Amino acid sequence: MSIFAYLDAGSGSLLLQAILGGLAGIAVAFRAFKSRITGKKAVEDAVASADEPEQVTEGS
Amino acid sequence: MVRPDPGSFRDPASRVVFRDGRVLRLLDQRGLEAWNAVASAEFFTRGIAAGRIIETEPTDDPTGTAAGALEHPRLPLITYPYEWTFGMLKDAALLQLDLLDEALQEGFTLKDATPFNIQFRGGKPVFIDIGSFEPYRKGEPWLGYRQFTRQFLFPLLMHAWAGIPFQPWLRGDPEGPTAAHMRAIIRGRKRWNPATILHIRLQARMEDRMRGSAVRSELRSAGFNAEMIRANVGRLRKLVASLEPHPSRAGWAGYQECAHVGRDRDAKSKFLDDILGQGDIGTVLDLGANDGHFSHIAAGRGALAVAVDGDEPVLDRLHASLDGEPIATVLADLTNPSPSLGWRLTERPGLWERVDPDLVVAYGLIHHLIYTASVPPTSVLDWLREFECPIVVEFVSPEDEMVKVLTANKEEAELHPGRTEAEFRSLLDGRFTVKAEQALEGGTRILFHLLPA
């Protein structure tokens, strides 16, 4: 949250406003969701690869 | 001496203090910048001129610590949303939305959306928190949206669609019901109303899924803008304007048809009017005000009438009929009035702490307290004495027809002593002196003008 906001506006309620903002808002919502999904996925991928144990060859 | 308003502490940019009966608002640097910007905005000056925004003038800072100070007129009575009727909360919601829409058109926004920022004057809502206005920053969503839904929209919806009064909820939790609460409350066909789907079900789901995510920068870079807030506000306005109280929320609506009401009304009006004519009376507290007939008499004599009643439909009609008359409608159950609430129990003082009457009118009231609510007559008189001012009270004897109805299923042993005229008079001793009295036509009721002993 910005230091300017003394009120907890709620993340879901903020993002919902794009959907409530008419046709143009829906496009914004789509772009924001897309960046969330791709951004989140990229982070998750990075975390998953970092956590992956080193491959051990069976029988070695 | 400067005394901070215990209800004004959440926003560091702007807080209210009292000094010698004056209402001052102290601003920090950011609050001062916001004020300098909004003071000349057209919507703001127009709002003040129309009485929709509280009058505000720059003044000297008595503390020497603030970046700036403003002064507002003192409102004679502060009421809270849990003391409002459906129509009052609806009027307040429409004002909130209209001001936001007008502000956005001129590059401003409101940083919050709570009914505690609105009061009533002559039956009309007035916005009192000047510190809420600030310049709109490009790409920002409406930070007050969730608060608006919880404190305005959802209370109205639970009342209109589910027949559940919002006042007990707001009194228990002034933050209001959450979207998840509303998802459980709204059943049947209304579940598929677009407003339910978007503002309740989708909001509940998104709030649940996205708790703690930083989304403001994402919205900004995705191209969010003020027009999108306006589109939402426009639809919310249409929705709120369409809401009506649930048909099941009816109460004392037939009061005026009771035989004794019409018969005694003229005598009671004259008795009260004579008292009002004897001196300068600032505030008249009309307990059990019903349709506001006696409040109108007080208002006609130039007093502020505080019309308190527990019957929402009747009080809502009184509110709707007001057109500037100095009458404040307060929804309250007299046997359980609003207590002190909030932070340190000083943020929202109890009802009787906010009312300072010069005259209390208790017409057609105390027999309901004694016979329906089972309050002992001694306690009723002690309570009236606590107002520390003259009282106009209607005594109703046990032989009265209405009392017979109220006690139809009660036995003598289940009733408190002190109900007869002789006992009532002896209970007055030490508490009040009788300045005037008048027996009413039916022979079972007496009007008393009492002065505190």
Side-chain angles (χ1 to χ4, degrees), chain B residues 116-133:
Chain B
F116 289 99
N117 285 345
I118 293 172
Q119 288 299 316
F120 285 86
R121 209 165 37 177
K124 306 290 177 220
V126 53
F127 192 85
I128 62 165
D129 186 14
I130 300 310
S132 281
F133 296 106

Side-chain angles (χ1 to χ4, degrees), chain A residues 1-2 4-22 24-25 28 31-33 35-36, chain B residues 10 30 111-112 141-143 145-147 198-199 202-203 206-207 210 212-213 215-216 218-219 222-224 228 232 235:
Chain A
M1 295 293 283
S2 149
F4 291 107
Y6 78 96
L7 182 71
D8 177 10
S11 307
S13 307
L14 289 177
L15 203 51
L16 173 63
Q17 287 181 52
I19 298 169
L20 298 169
V28 167
R31 283 199 291 276
F33 273 118
S35 84
R36 282 196 73 72
Chain B
R10 291 185 198 276
R30 185 171 70 92
K111 66 171 84 158
D112 51 11
W142 173 21
L143 295 183
Y145 166 70
R146 181 169 72 166
Q147 197 179 30
L198 292 169
H199 298 296
L202 191 55
Q203 187 179 185
M206 289 177 72
E207 277 294 290
M210 300 177 62
S213 308
V215 298
R216 286 164 78 177
E218 283 172 32
L219 277 172
F224 191 87
M228 292 164 195
N232 184 20
R235 272 194 294 273

Side-chain angles (χ1 to χ4, degrees), chain B residues 378-407:
Chain B
T378 49
S379 189
V380 171
L381 288 172
D382 285 339
W383 168 62
L384 291 174
R385 181 64 184 77
E386 282 166 9
F387 287 107
E388 294 281 348
C389 70
I391 310 281
V392 182
V393 64
E394 179 179 7
F395 167 78
V396 183
S397 80
E399 292 76 38
D400 185 82
E401 275 176 37
M402 174 54 85
V403 173
K404 284 182 184 158
V405 171
L406 297 177
T407 55

Side-chain angles (χ1 to χ4, degrees), chain B residues 105-252:
Chain B
Q105 292 179 60
E106 289 185 53
F108 291 89
T109 188
L110 281 88
K111 66 171 84 158
D112 51 11
T114 168
F116 289 99
N117 285 345
I118 293 172
Q119 288 299 316
F120 285 86
R121 209 165 37 177
K124 306 290 177 220
V126 53
F127 192 85
I128 62 165
D129 186 14
I130 300 310
S132 281
F133 296 106
E134 63 177 8
Y136 175 72
R137 285 177 300 142
K138 201 168 169 246
E140 279 286 317
W142 173 21
L143 295 183
Y145 166 70
R146 181 169 72 166
Q147 197 179 30
F148 180 85
T149 57
R150 292 189 62 182
Q151 299 191 19
F152 287 102
L153 180 64
F154 294 164
L156 290 170
L157 286 180
M158 68 157 63
H159 202 293
W161 287 358
I164 299 172
F166 62 77
Q167 297 87 354
W169 190 302
L170 292 185
R171 186 157 102 169
D173 178 8
E175 294 295 315
T178 63
H181 292 141
M182 291 301 290
R183 190 170 50 188
I185 287 170
I186 302 298
R187 314 306 299 170
R189 275 192 306 128
K190 290 293 185 194
R191 287 190 70 208
W192 305 103
N193 184 291
T196 310
I197 293 171
L198 292 169
H199 298 296
I200 295 175
R201 291 166 65 184
L202 191 55
Q203 187 179 185
R205 198 178 169 85
M206 289 177 72
E207 277 294 290
D208 194 38
R209 293 275 171 95
M210 300 177 62
R211 203 176 300 273
S213 308
V215 298
R216 286 164 78 177
S217 60
E218 283 172 32
L219 277 172
R220 196 176 301 121
S221 49
F224 191 87
N225 62 47
E227 286 308 306
M228 292 164 195
I229 302 178
R230 291 193 62 210
N232 184 20
V233 167
R235 272 194 294 273
L236 280 170
R237 195 192 193 288
K238 217 183 253 180
L239 171 64
V240 169
S242 74
L243 297 175
E244 293 299 334
H246 195 272
S248 68
R249 299 281 308 136
W252 244 122

Side-chain angles (χ1 to χ4, degrees), chain B residues 71-117:
Chain B
E71 179 161 6
H72 304 300
R74 194 181 186 97
L75 293 172
L77 178 72
I78 297 292
T79 58
Y80 298 131
Y82 41 82
E83 297 160 344
W84 295 354
T85 62
F86 181 92
M88 294 170 78
L89 187 62
K90 179 175 165 177
D91 288 352
L94 293 174
L95 176 65
Q96 179 78 38
L97 292 171
D98 288 345
L99 288 178
L100 176 60
D101 190 57
E102 291 165 33
L104 285 168
Q105 292 179 60
E106 289 185 53
F108 291 89
T109 188
L110 281 88
K111 66 171 84 158
D112 51 11
T114 168
F116 289 99
N117 285 345

